[in-house]
Amino acid sequence: MKALVCGAGIAGLSAAGFLARSGWQVTVLEQAPAPRPEGYLIDFFGPGWAAADSLGALERIREAGYAIPRVDYVGRTGRRRASLRSAGFSRLAGGALASILRPDLEQALRGCLPDSVDLRYGIQVTAVQQDDDGVQVAAGRAGSFAADLLVGADGVHSAVRGLVFGPEQDYFRFLGYHVGAYLFEDAQVAAELGNRVAVTDTRDEAMFFYRLRDGRTTAMAVHRTDSPALPADPRAELRRRYGRLGWICPAALAHCPDRFYYDQVAQIQMPGWHAGRTVLLGDAAAAVSLLAGQGASLAVAGAQVLAGELAAQPDPATGLQSFEDRWRPQVLRHQAAGRAAAKWFVPATPLASAVRRTLVRLSGLPAVARLIGRTVAGQ
């Protein structure tokens, strides 16, 4: 049986790994010319942890990951206003937690792919045709590909979803934020940060910083906006909105490159994830958004469930339906957590800021730690 996976991100690489281990002949098509270097720091834990272990990627994830002792919320002068210790969350996760850059997580998954997986970059899917016997995918000058199964794992702006299920606007749900992320080098900024995540304790806009082991700093900027439309010049937008936050923000913005990751914070909400021999996975099917967390973990675990159900059922159609029946409730729960988090991820009012600072300061109490932990875990 042949499987065609569109997208070489976290979901696509995981799907390729699990399907190949189940005996499928797998080809992965990625639109980008090479692995993408952009991405922000994420916490990897939850259902994807055991799934990554079964792929053989867990040791690589641990090596590439970071042990962050605390998150500091700082004012415009850099003065710490509240701290969130990471040890409590690590205990809640049973130690099964790693903070890791998205590109490093992809590299860990890519390094565990069986040699039989055919991974191709610089190929864009332009058309999909399918019937009861299989699927035919056109990819421009790369020609066409025939398979028994097509997995659309090409992200929140999925081309496969558009070709098979209809236009993006039918499923795209904007959550009221834009996000940008990039890496930069500045020795003074790195020294100021130390070994912690630092978040500006500000309203409407917030910047998140962390110093990497190679001395570079990762910066993520998240701001509220009523418009999903992307700015013509994202770098100018970041400098306009975040320059007034003070502390190290102006220095960080001075290093913002011409090209970097910038997008809406959104979810994909669909009545179903499969049609014929095509199935969507990860953000292409149901982005939970960075507000919910665990999007990467759900992508890896979802790929394992997909491959397992296809192996357990007598035919692909039954396997795809079984996958949805089993996996959809968990993903919908995390989506609901993401929509709820939109209210407090970056506070909009002085009261919301005060409430968040109070919760962070009380996070050492077991009951508060469990509450925050369950919220982060999508429960």
Side-chain angles (χ1 to χ4, degrees):
M1 298 281 279
K2 294 183 179 180
L4 193 63
V5 178
C6 291
I10 294 168
L13 293 170
S14 300
F18 281 116
L19 288 171
R21 283 168 170 78
S22 294
W24 290 76
Q25 182 181 337
V26 182
T27 299
V28 181
L29 305 180
E30 168 56 51
Q31 178 178 335
R36 292 184 175 91
E38 305 93 352
Y40 43 83
L41 195 71
I42 62 172
D43 289 327
F44 186 76
F45 66 106
W49 189 267
D53 192 17
S54 67
L55 276 177
L58 197 53
E59 183 177 351
R60 296 169 186 258
I61 291 171
R62 287 186 184 274
E63 290 176 353
Y66 294 84
I68 298 172
R70 71 181 194 271
V71 179
D72 284 348
Y73 292 84
V74 302
R76 297 177 188 274
T77 64
R79 181 174 176 269
R80 186 173 64 197
R81 293 177 172 174
S83 290
L84 189 65
R85 297 285 175 177
S86 301
F89 299 107
S90 182
R91 285 195 299 270
L92 287 171
L97 182 150
S99 297
I100 186 171
L101 289 170
R102 292 185 68 92
D104 290 345
L105 177 55
E106 290 181 5
Q107 183 176 357
L109 294 169
R110 195 165 49 247
C112 294
L113 287 179
D115 293 338
S116 61
V117 174
D118 183 7
L119 177 56
R120 306 189 189 189
Y121 287 92
I123 298 180
Q124 184 174 2
V125 173
T126 58
V128 176
Q129 292 183 330
Q130 57 182 342
D131 54 32
D132 293 340
D133 296 323
V135 60
Q136 192 85 15
V137 173
R141 283 184 287 182
S144 62
F145 299 83
D148 301 286
L149 175 71
L150 171 62
V151 180
D154 47 346
V156 68
H157 303 297
S158 169
V160 171
R161 188 183 61 238
L163 292 169
V164 177
F165 296 88
E168 180 173 292
Q169 61 263 28
D170 291 349
Y171 312 110
F172 190 85
R173 300 294 180 264
F174 180 59
L175 296 183
Y177 291 92
H178 284 188
V179 58
Y182 59 94
L183 298 171
F184 66 94
E185 292 189 44
D186 187 309
Q188 187 171 349
V189 167
E192 175 75 13
L193 285 172
N195 185 28
R196 58 170 177 165
V197 168
V199 185
T200 61
D201 185 25
T202 47
R203 296 190 299 275
D204 294 326
E205 301 98 6
M207 294 197 78
F208 300 67
F209 299 101
Y210 184 69
R211 185 187 68 190
L212 303 177
R213 59 176 61 93
D214 63 5
R216 293 182 299 167
T217 296
T218 174
M220 184 174 75
V222 183
H223 64 262
R224 290 178 174 270
T225 176
D226 294 330
S227 173
L230 298 177
D233 187 343
R235 183 173 66 168
E237 179 72 0
L238 258 59
R239 289 177 171 176
R240 180 183 71 83
R241 295 202 60 142
Y242 296 87
R244 61 176 182 258
L245 299 188
W247 191 42
I248 62 173
C249 296
L253 292 167
H255 292 290
C256 183
D258 292 332
R259 295 177 61 85
F260 61 100
Y261 172 80
Y262 188 100
D263 206 351
Q264 306 109 322
V265 177
Q267 293 183 340
I268 298 298
Q269 298 176 16
M270 303 182 67
W273 301 337
H274 75 281
R277 293 297 186 96
T278 300
V279 63
L280 301 177
L281 186 67
D283 286 353
V288 296
S289 83
L290 66 88
L291 307 183
Q294 292 206 65
S297 179
L298 292 170
V300 180
Q304 183 180 38
V305 174
L306 173 63
E309 294 303 318
L310 286 169
Q313 301 300 329
D315 60 84
T318 306
L320 295 181
Q321 185 59 56
S322 182
F323 159 67
E324 278 210 42
D325 292 343
R326 179 179 169 189
W327 192 237
R328 189 177 183 84
Q330 183 162 349
V331 173
L332 294 182
R333 185 172 68 247
H334 282 271
Q335 283 192 319
R339 293 191 294 274
K343 302 173 184 177
W344 57 265
F345 192 79
V346 178
T349 66
L351 177 60
S353 293
V355 169
R356 184 177 69 174
R357 279 195 297 271
T358 300
L359 282 172
V360 169
R361 288 167 182 162
L362 295 174
S363 62
L365 299 176
V368 178
R370 285 194 298 270
L371 172 63
I372 297 175
R374 287 176 62 85
T375 300
V376 172
Q379 299 174 7

